[in-house]
Amino acid sequence: GLGFNEITGKKSVYKPEYVERSLYKLRALGFTAVNSWVLGGGSGYTYDENGLVTGLGDKFVEELTSLLESCRRTEMDLVPTILVHGWGSLFNYEYNGLSPYEIRLKYSRYYYDETARKAYINNGVKKVCEILSKYQDVIPIVNLTVENGTLTNDVENGMIYAEDGVSWKDFASLLNVLHETSKEYMPDIPTSVEDVGWDINGFKYNDLKVDIISPQKYES
């Protein structure tokens, strides 16, 4: 994730010169695109006392813009990921006296709570898409989420991936709002989601408006 993290207090470690050097090297090796989890673990957003998204942090805007400019200079395409898998790896520890469960309840209610979702989309995701829309020449795809479905706990659908997860209906509705938001700013750029081989539940994708759905295979 880019920028500071108001939830955990983590500072940014983004180094523009290191990133650009890496992009040049990847380009020389023959790669034409890289993926970036631009909003990892709740970083980049600002929040109010109730955990609702109020906007984007200045540092995040600066670093996302820097990354996009570097991609343009190096002729390397960027596939930005808007929503990381699960609750985000930074939510596995206690912060500011809150347990991981309490952190998720406070800051990630946008999966199922209408008020939190409106704040998340209007004050956060739309502002991210507005920035991305200025660099459509280097964005071939907008990736909405990775490891799709890892936050679902839906017994009826046989999707029991997280003890404190949400229903597939809630998860799918959030992805559809993310798709619509991306299309509002970048109508000609396809959206995608990534699965991790759970094709036994392939029927679930009939609920999504996403343009590209692909199983992801990890090999060591």
Side-chain angles (χ1 to χ4, degrees), residues 198-212:
W198 293 311
D199 23 282
I200 192 170
N201 295 312
F203 67 88
K204 65 191 178 186
Y205 293 122
N206 292 328
D207 298 326
L208 301 184
K209 301 177 181 178
V210 180
D211 297 316
I212 301 172

PDB file of all heavy atoms in Angstrom, residues 198-212:
ATOM      1  N   TRP A 198     -10.854 -21.752  -6.942  1.00  0.00           N
ATOM      2  CA  TRP A 198     -12.046 -22.352  -6.357  1.00  0.00           C
ATOM      3  C   TRP A 198     -13.159 -22.433  -7.395  1.00  0.00           C
ATOM      4  O   TRP A 198     -14.253 -21.946  -7.211  1.00  0.00           O
ATOM      5  CB  TRP A 198     -12.509 -21.546  -5.137  1.00  0.00           C
ATOM      6  CG  TRP A 198     -11.565 -21.594  -3.994  1.00  0.00           C
ATOM      7  CD1 TRP A 198     -10.991 -22.708  -3.455  1.00  0.00           C
ATOM      8  CD2 TRP A 198     -11.065 -20.495  -3.246  1.00  0.00           C
ATOM      9  NE1 TRP A 198     -10.157 -22.374  -2.414  1.00  0.00           N
ATOM     10  CE2 TRP A 198     -10.188 -21.017  -2.259  1.00  0.00           C
ATOM     11  CE3 TRP A 198     -11.262 -19.127  -3.296  1.00  0.00           C
ATOM     12  CZ2 TRP A 198      -9.516 -20.207  -1.344  1.00  0.00           C
ATOM     13  CZ3 TRP A 198     -10.593 -18.329  -2.380  1.00  0.00           C
ATOM     14  CH2 TRP A 198      -9.738 -18.874  -1.420  1.00  0.00           C
ATOM     15  N   ASP A 199     -12.875 -23.077  -8.533  1.00  0.00           N
ATOM     16  CA  ASP A 199     -13.885 -23.087  -9.588  1.00  0.00           C
ATOM     17  C   ASP A 199     -15.087 -23.956  -9.254  1.00  0.00           C
ATOM     18  O   ASP A 199     -16.064 -23.959  -9.982  1.00  0.00           O
ATOM     19  CB  ASP A 199     -13.302 -23.527 -10.934  1.00  0.00           C
ATOM     20  CG  ASP A 199     -12.050 -24.358 -10.793  1.00  0.00           C
ATOM     21  OD1 ASP A 199     -11.042 -23.729 -10.551  1.00  0.00           O
ATOM     22  OD2 ASP A 199     -12.097 -25.579 -10.920  1.00  0.00           O
ATOM     23  N   ILE A 200     -15.011 -24.709  -8.160  1.00  0.00           N
ATOM     24  CA  ILE A 200     -16.178 -25.483  -7.760  1.00  0.00           C
ATOM     25  C   ILE A 200     -17.368 -24.560  -7.479  1.00  0.00           C
ATOM     26  O   ILE A 200     -18.519 -24.951  -7.543  1.00  0.00           O
ATOM     27  CB  ILE A 200     -15.864 -26.348  -6.513  1.00  0.00           C
ATOM     28  CG1 ILE A 200     -16.984 -27.354  -6.279  1.00  0.00           C
ATOM     29  CG2 ILE A 200     -15.627 -25.478  -5.280  1.00  0.00           C
ATOM     30  CD1 ILE A 200     -16.666 -28.389  -5.231  1.00  0.00           C
ATOM     31  N   ASN A 201     -17.068 -23.314  -7.155  1.00  0.00           N
ATOM     32  CA  ASN A 201     -18.112 -22.318  -6.903  1.00  0.00           C
ATOM     33  C   ASN A 201     -18.249 -21.359  -8.073  1.00  0.00           C
ATOM     34  O   ASN A 201     -18.612 -20.209  -7.895  1.00  0.00           O
ATOM     35  CB  ASN A 201     -17.796 -21.529  -5.630  1.00  0.00           C
ATOM     36  CG  ASN A 201     -17.832 -22.401  -4.397  1.00  0.00           C
ATOM     37  OD1 ASN A 201     -18.768 -23.159  -4.210  1.00  0.00           O
ATOM     38  ND2 ASN A 201     -16.810 -22.320  -3.573  1.00  0.00           N
ATOM     39  N   GLY A 202     -17.958 -21.825  -9.270  1.00  0.00           N
ATOM     40  CA  GLY A 202     -17.963 -20.944 -10.435  1.00  0.00           C
ATOM     41  C   GLY A 202     -19.290 -20.255 -10.675  1.00  0.00           C
ATOM     42  O   GLY A 202     -19.331 -19.160 -11.231  1.00  0.00           O
ATOM     43  N   PHE A 203     -20.377 -20.874 -10.231  1.00  0.00           N
ATOM     44  CA  PHE A 203     -21.692 -20.268 -10.440  1.00  0.00           C
ATOM     45  C   PHE A 203     -21.801 -18.892  -9.807  1.00  0.00           C
ATOM     46  O   PHE A 203     -22.584 -18.056 -10.246  1.00  0.00           O
ATOM     47  CB  PHE A 203     -22.790 -21.166  -9.839  1.00  0.00           C
ATOM     48  CG  PHE A 203     -22.744 -21.255  -8.344  1.00  0.00           C
ATOM     49  CD1 PHE A 203     -23.418 -20.333  -7.553  1.00  0.00           C
ATOM     50  CD2 PHE A 203     -22.007 -22.247  -7.708  1.00  0.00           C
ATOM     51  CE1 PHE A 203     -23.360 -20.404  -6.173  1.00  0.00           C
ATOM     52  CE2 PHE A 203     -21.955 -22.323  -6.326  1.00  0.00           C
ATOM     53  CZ  PHE A 203     -22.630 -21.399  -5.551  1.00  0.00           C
ATOM     54  N   LYS A 204     -21.005 -18.648  -8.775  1.00  0.00           N
ATOM     55  CA  LYS A 204     -21.126 -17.387  -8.036  1.00  0.00           C
ATOM     56  C   LYS A 204     -20.826 -16.183  -8.930  1.00  0.00           C
ATOM     57  O   LYS A 204     -21.298 -15.082  -8.678  1.00  0.00           O
ATOM     58  CB  LYS A 204     -20.188 -17.382  -6.840  1.00  0.00           C
ATOM     59  CG  LYS A 204     -18.706 -17.408  -7.189  1.00  0.00           C
ATOM     60  CD  LYS A 204     -17.825 -17.676  -5.981  1.00  0.00           C
ATOM     61  CE  LYS A 204     -16.353 -17.753  -6.344  1.00  0.00           C
ATOM     62  NZ  LYS A 204     -15.509 -18.138  -5.230  1.00  0.00           N
ATOM     63  N   TYR A 205     -20.037 -16.386  -9.996  1.00  0.00           N
ATOM     64  CA  TYR A 205     -19.637 -15.252 -10.811  1.00  0.00           C
ATOM     65  C   TYR A 205     -20.769 -14.707 -11.669  1.00  0.00           C
ATOM     66  O   TYR A 205     -20.642 -13.645 -12.258  1.00  0.00           O
ATOM     67  CB  TYR A 205     -18.436 -15.631 -11.675  1.00  0.00           C
ATOM     68  CG  TYR A 205     -17.213 -15.887 -10.844  1.00  0.00           C
ATOM     69  CD1 TYR A 205     -16.552 -17.106 -10.885  1.00  0.00           C
ATOM     70  CD2 TYR A 205     -16.737 -14.917  -9.971  1.00  0.00           C
ATOM     71  CE1 TYR A 205     -15.449 -17.342 -10.098  1.00  0.00           C
ATOM     72  CE2 TYR A 205     -15.639 -15.144  -9.174  1.00  0.00           C
ATOM     73  CZ  TYR A 205     -14.990 -16.362  -9.242  1.00  0.00           C
ATOM     74  OH  TYR A 205     -13.909 -16.593  -8.448  1.00  0.00           O
ATOM     75  N   ASN A 206     -21.868 -15.434 -11.750  1.00  0.00           N
ATOM     76  CA  ASN A 206     -23.029 -14.911 -12.455  1.00  0.00           C
ATOM     77  C   ASN A 206     -23.572 -13.655 -11.775  1.00  0.00           C
ATOM     78  O   ASN A 206     -24.322 -12.893 -12.384  1.00  0.00           O
ATOM     79  CB  ASN A 206     -24.135 -15.970 -12.515  1.00  0.00           C
ATOM     80  CG  ASN A 206     -23.753 -17.146 -13.387  1.00  0.00           C
ATOM     81  OD1 ASN A 206     -23.022 -16.987 -14.358  1.00  0.00           O
ATOM     82  ND2 ASN A 206     -24.239 -18.328 -13.046  1.00  0.00           N
ATOM     83  N   ASP A 207     -23.193 -13.450 -10.516  1.00  0.00           N
ATOM     84  CA  ASP A 207     -23.679 -12.288  -9.769  1.00  0.00           C
ATOM     85  C   ASP A 207     -22.844 -11.035 -10.015  1.00  0.00           C
ATOM     86  O   ASP A 207     -23.196  -9.962  -9.521  1.00  0.00           O
ATOM     87  CB  ASP A 207     -23.665 -12.592  -8.259  1.00  0.00           C
ATOM     88  CG  ASP A 207     -24.570 -13.744  -7.897  1.00  0.00           C
ATOM     89  OD1 ASP A 207     -25.618 -13.883  -8.549  1.00  0.00           O
ATOM     90  OD2 ASP A 207     -24.231 -14.504  -6.973  1.00  0.00           O
ATOM     91  N   LEU A 208     -21.727 -11.161 -10.723  1.00  0.00           N
ATOM     92  CA  LEU A 208     -20.793 -10.049 -10.867  1.00  0.00           C
ATOM     93  C   LEU A 208     -20.906  -9.371 -12.224  1.00  0.00           C
ATOM     94  O   LEU A 208     -21.160 -10.011 -13.241  1.00  0.00           O
ATOM     95  CB  LEU A 208     -19.352 -10.535 -10.677  1.00  0.00           C
ATOM     96  CG  LEU A 208     -19.013 -11.183  -9.342  1.00  0.00           C
ATOM     97  CD1 LEU A 208     -17.530 -11.523  -9.293  1.00  0.00           C
ATOM     98  CD2 LEU A 208     -19.394 -10.293  -8.170  1.00  0.00           C
ATOM     99  N   LYS A 209     -20.688  -8.056 -12.229  1.00  0.00           N
ATOM    100  CA  LYS A 209     -20.689  -7.265 -13.460  1.00  0.00           C
ATOM    101  C   LYS A 209     -19.275  -7.112 -14.041  1.00  0.00           C
ATOM    102  O   LYS A 209     -19.102  -6.459 -15.052  1.00  0.00           O
ATOM    103  CB  LYS A 209     -21.269  -5.875 -13.185  1.00  0.00           C
ATOM    104  CG  LYS A 209     -22.696  -5.891 -12.651  1.00  0.00           C
ATOM    105  CD  LYS A 209     -23.173  -4.485 -12.333  1.00  0.00           C
ATOM    106  CE  LYS A 209     -24.584  -4.490 -11.775  1.00  0.00           C
ATOM    107  NZ  LYS A 209     -25.054  -3.129 -11.415  1.00  0.00           N
ATOM    108  N   VAL A 210     -18.312  -7.706 -13.377  1.00  0.00           N
ATOM    109  CA  VAL A 210     -16.908  -7.534 -13.740  1.00  0.00           C
ATOM    110  C   VAL A 210     -16.636  -8.040 -15.154  1.00  0.00           C
ATOM    111  O   VAL A 210     -17.236  -9.020 -15.606  1.00  0.00           O
ATOM    112  CB  VAL A 210     -16.030  -8.287 -12.723  1.00  0.00           C
ATOM    113  CG1 VAL A 210     -14.557  -8.137 -13.056  1.00  0.00           C
ATOM    114  CG2 VAL A 210     -16.308  -7.775 -11.323  1.00  0.00           C
ATOM    115  N   ASP A 211     -15.700  -7.377 -15.865  1.00  0.00           N
ATOM    116  CA  ASP A 211     -15.413  -7.736 -17.252  1.00  0.00           C
ATOM    117  C   ASP A 211     -14.576  -9.000 -17.376  1.00  0.00           C
ATOM    118  O   ASP A 211     -14.828  -9.839 -18.234  1.00  0.00           O
ATOM    119  CB  ASP A 211     -14.669  -6.583 -17.948  1.00  0.00           C
ATOM    120  CG  ASP A 211     -15.514  -5.322 -18.026  1.00  0.00           C
ATOM    121  OD1 ASP A 211     -16.707  -5.438 -18.364  1.00  0.00           O
ATOM    122  OD2 ASP A 211     -14.984  -4.232 -17.757  1.00  0.00           O
ATOM    123  N   ILE A 212     -13.547  -9.137 -16.541  1.00  0.00           N
ATOM    124  CA  ILE A 212     -12.615 -10.263 -16.655  1.00  0.00           C
ATOM    125  C   ILE A 212     -12.528 -10.985 -15.313  1.00  0.00           C
ATOM    126  O   ILE A 212     -12.230 -10.370 -14.282  1.00  0.00           O
ATOM    127  CB  ILE A 212     -11.202  -9.782 -17.064  1.00  0.00           C
ATOM    128  CG1 ILE A 212     -11.262  -9.042 -18.397  1.00  0.00           C
ATOM    129  CG2 ILE A 212     -10.235 -10.958 -17.147  1.00  0.00           C
ATOM    130  CD1 ILE A 212      -9.951  -8.366 -18.763  1.00  0.00           C
TER     131      ILE A 212
END
